Amino acid sequence: MTDVSLVSRFDALLADLDGVVYAGPHAIPGAVESLKQLSGLGIGLGYVTNNASRSPAEVAAHLRELGAPAEDNQVVSSSQAAADLLASLLAPGSRVLITGSPALAREIELAGLVPVGSQDEEPVAVVQGFSPGIGWKELAEATYVVNAGALWVATNTDMTIPQARGIAPGNGTLVAAVAAATAQQPKVAGKPEAPLFHSAAKRLGAERPLVVGDRLDTDILGGNNAGFATVAVLTGVDTRETILAARSAERPNYIIGNLTDLHRPYPDVTHDDGTYVCGEATARVANGAVGIIGSQDNLDSWRAACAAWWAETPEAATPQAPKLVWLNH
């Protein structure tokens, strides 16, 4: 089935944002054009983001500024997931300490809860989401409230976030500070949990969505947890090497260089007697190493290598990087 484009096999695309559509304020080359093509193919589009620092409407506005197709309701955020989770666990009107952005506070309000900013206001829960303005005082306030026995929910635990200047600390690093100070762990609402993906698919009425993301530990793990097909794109955090080494739960069904590849045929990987073939590349595992005939610059080489190595290590609970032996044609 290599003559049709990869994305045409599915009825919707659930796209991550940071590292997939944009890095910081700028669109990733080819991303906007690739997303625009979907509507002409009758393929739904949803954006699934762990970024809790902006409202879905603000995210959609940013996407439109970049030229990408985006209605407000096409954006499903971890802030919404966190607010839904808290609303399911607390009585209406309960007070929740906001360790995060005004957008997060607004989602808490919309869920029928009362956002507060201090332990003095007697919150019964803490919700922690990313905001570049968070400092020691905010983390201390969250620590006081968690230590006093309050329910603690994190929008997400991404350890890093791609920015225009490079990789920066994400919400997970701020959550880790409170966890270290309280010896507790929060309930996590966003990726890699499945509900965020299920609600996005439900909004689109999609039965066969494809999840695209740049991170194995959130996008790919979350899509896999939801039971959806997953594709890793190499424009953000994870690399060919980290994808090859991925633990079983974080292995994608497909690997592409950028979103433009969604509209190209995806090569099948075939195997015979332990030799895996993708395009003109072949890979085989021997003595714990992966021997690859092909170019290091060609993704087909890595697709073949992944197929061979993953077949060899089907139950990998931790990342395992094999030795690679490159053999030119």
Side-chain angles (χ1 to χ4, degrees):
M1 197 161 148
T2 57
D3 54 337
V4 299
S5 68
L6 172 60
V7 78
S8 66
R9 305 181 192 185
F10 302 93
D11 61 359
L13 185 72
L14 302 182
D16 177 50
L17 293 174
D18 293 316
V20 175
V21 181
Y22 53 67
H26 302 296
I28 288 170
V32 168
E33 293 76 10
S34 300
L35 296 171
K36 280 182 174 177
Q37 286 178 255
L38 295 174
S39 63
L41 300 170
I43 295 168
L45 173 60
Y47 300 100
V48 183
T49 177
N50 262 358
N51 187 339
S53 63
R54 295 183 296 174
S55 71
E58 288 171 324
V59 172
H62 179 212
L63 286 165
R64 289 193 295 270
E65 285 170 13
L66 296 175
E71 300 294 332
D72 292 0
N73 66 355
Q74 285 178 276
V75 178
V76 186
S77 76
S78 61
S79 294
Q80 291 174 319
D84 290 345
L85 178 58
L86 283 163
S88 73
L89 297 171
L90 301 173
S94 295
R95 297 180 179 205
V96 179
L97 179 75
I98 308 296
T99 308
S101 67
L104 176 57
R106 177 65 180 144
E107 295 297 340
I108 295 301
E109 270 186 335
L110 290 172
L113 304 170
V114 179
V116 300
S118 164
Q119 185 188 26
D120 298 338
E121 297 175 85
E122 300 181 347
V124 297
V126 179
V127 63
Q128 188 169 0
F130 182 75
S131 175
I134 287 178
W136 180 88
K137 287 183 178 179
E138 289 80 11
L139 296 177
E141 206 69 32
T143 300
Y144 302 146
V145 177
V146 172
N147 272 333
L151 172 66
W152 179 24
V153 169
T155 58
N156 66 294
T157 50
D158 294 42
M159 296 306 287
T160 59
I161 185 169
Q163 297 290 289
R165 293 167 60 192
I167 301 298
N171 195 51
T173 62
L174 303 173
V175 170
V178 177
T182 60
Q184 296 191 51
Q185 293 293 328
K187 294 180 183 295
V188 180
K191 304 179 219 175
E193 305 306 318
L196 195 54
F197 295 94
H198 285 149
S199 62
K202 188 176 178 181
R203 280 194 202 182
L204 297 171
E207 295 179 357
R208 300 186 322 281
L210 176 65
V211 174
V212 58
D214 67 307
R215 299 182 63 105
L216 299 178
D217 60 348
T218 54
D219 307 317
I220 304 306
L221 177 58
N224 289 345
N225 283 340
F228 297 156
T230 53
V231 54
V233 64
L234 298 170
T235 49
V237 171
D238 274 294
T239 64
R240 294 166 172 83
E241 290 80 7
T242 61
I243 292 168
L244 176 63
R247 65 190 185 98
S248 302
E250 297 181 358
R251 292 172 177 173
N253 300 101
Y254 309 99
I255 307 164
I256 58 175
N258 54 53
L259 292 190
T260 307
D261 287 346
L262 289 171
H263 298 284
R264 297 190 173 112
Y266 194 89
D268 289 329
V269 178
T270 60
H271 64 94
D272 181 41
D273 195 27
T275 297
Y276 288 77
V277 180
C278 183
E280 296 184 0
T282 65
R284 186 179 181 89
V285 178
N287 303 318
V290 181
I292 306 164
I293 301 175
S295 165
Q296 292 189 41
D297 298 331
N298 190 330
L299 256 187
D300 285 350
S301 299
W302 293 91
R303 290 162 176 154
C306 285
W309 180 241
W310 295 350
E312 184 76 12
T313 57
E315 302 293 333
T318 57
Q320 298 179 20
K323 180 183 177 185
L324 300 180
V325 179
W326 291 92
L327 307 163
N328 292 324
H329 283 293

